[in-house]
Structure formats: C-alpha cells, structure tokens
Amino acid sequence: QVQLQESGPGLVKPSQTLSLTCTVSGGSITTKFYYWSWSRRPPGKGLEWIGYIAYSGTTYYSPSLKSRTSISRDTSKNQFTLQLSSVTPEDTAVYYCARVEPPYYDLGSSPRPEWYDSWGQGTQVTVSS
C-alpha cells in the first residue's frame, strides 16, 4: 500500500517561496498511470487542487495558481516537490499530497474525489511575518 508524507517549513514569510516535499513509499512515482498531486485547504474553506505531476514527469497546474506554481520530482528519492512563489497570508493552509489516477480525457482539471486513492496526512503552512 502506497504511503505519502509531506515535509517542509511550517512558517513562511510573505513574498517568499513555499517549498514542500512529498516522500512516497510502497510504490514508484514513475508507475503508469498515476499522477502525484498537491492540494490545500485554507482555514474555513474547501479543498483546492494546486496541480500534479504525471508518472512521465509532465506537469499540470490549476489555472488560478499556475503563474506561481512549480511541481518537480526526484525519481532517485521517490519524492515530488511543490514550490509556490510570492506567497501572501491567503496562502495559509493545510497542504496535502496525494496519488490520483485521472482519465486521459480529463487531464489538467481538478480531479474528482473518487479518482484519488492515497493521501498524505497534511502539513500546516502559515504565511506570516
């Protein structure tokens, strides 16, 4: 059974870049046809999809965050990383990594809940000076 674990700083200053890593065990991030996703839940709000990186390394981002987001991977460590630049207090949230298997005809849009099969426990990130 695949397991995911988020790691990174819990406090980031405004205008800086938020960087989180998801370490995967029990399965390879290059296995077809899985996609490795980042989402977040701001306080009092619903879950927001940020983007994902495919088993092939192709990336897809939410249009609302695309200009500030980069997702990359290190296959030797079986990890993938989120970088969100120019953060503001509105980026304060619990950030989650997950494995998802979207159908080929719906790549690049916010995945349906039933397409996810594994989640990390989440990590709180607060943006504050």
Side-chain angles (χ1 to χ4, degrees):
Q1 182 177 352
V2 69
Q3 294 184 320
L4 300 94
Q5 178 67 58
E6 305 90 349
S7 60
L11 181 64
V12 182
K13 291 184 178 348
S15 80
Q16 291 187 341
T17 295
L18 177 161
S19 184
L20 296 174
T21 294
C22 184
T23 301
V24 179
S25 59
S28 171
I29 62 172
T30 62
T31 299
K32 294 181 179 179
F33 295 95
Y34 290 114
Y35 291 65
W36 303 90
S37 176
W38 286 100
S39 299
R40 67 184 185 181
R41 188 186 300 276
K45 297 184 179 180
L47 194 66
E48 178 183 23
W49 176 66
I50 300 170
Y52 50 51
I53 185 165
Y55 58 93
S56 61
T58 303
T59 52
Y60 301 82
Y61 302 117
S62 168
S64 64
L65 294 168
K66 183 176 182 178
S67 64
R68 299 195 289 129
T69 305
S70 177
I71 298 175
S72 59
R73 66 180 186 173
D74 184 336
T75 57
S76 68
K77 296 181 179 178
N78 216 36
Q79 295 174 332
F80 61 106
T81 298
L82 168 70
Q83 290 192 308
L84 184 66
S85 64
S86 304
V87 296
T88 71
E90 286 65 42
D91 293 307
T92 294
V94 178
Y95 285 75
Y96 298 92
C97 60
R99 188 175 76 172
V100 60
E101 191 174 5
Y104 72 93
Y105 55 79
D106 209 3
L107 295 178
S109 60
S110 182
R112 297 182 182 181
E114 59 265 33
W115 296 344
Y116 291 91
D117 67 1
S118 299
W119 290 85
Q121 63 183 21
T123 187
Q124 173 70 47
V125 178
T126 300
V127 179
S128 175
S129 55

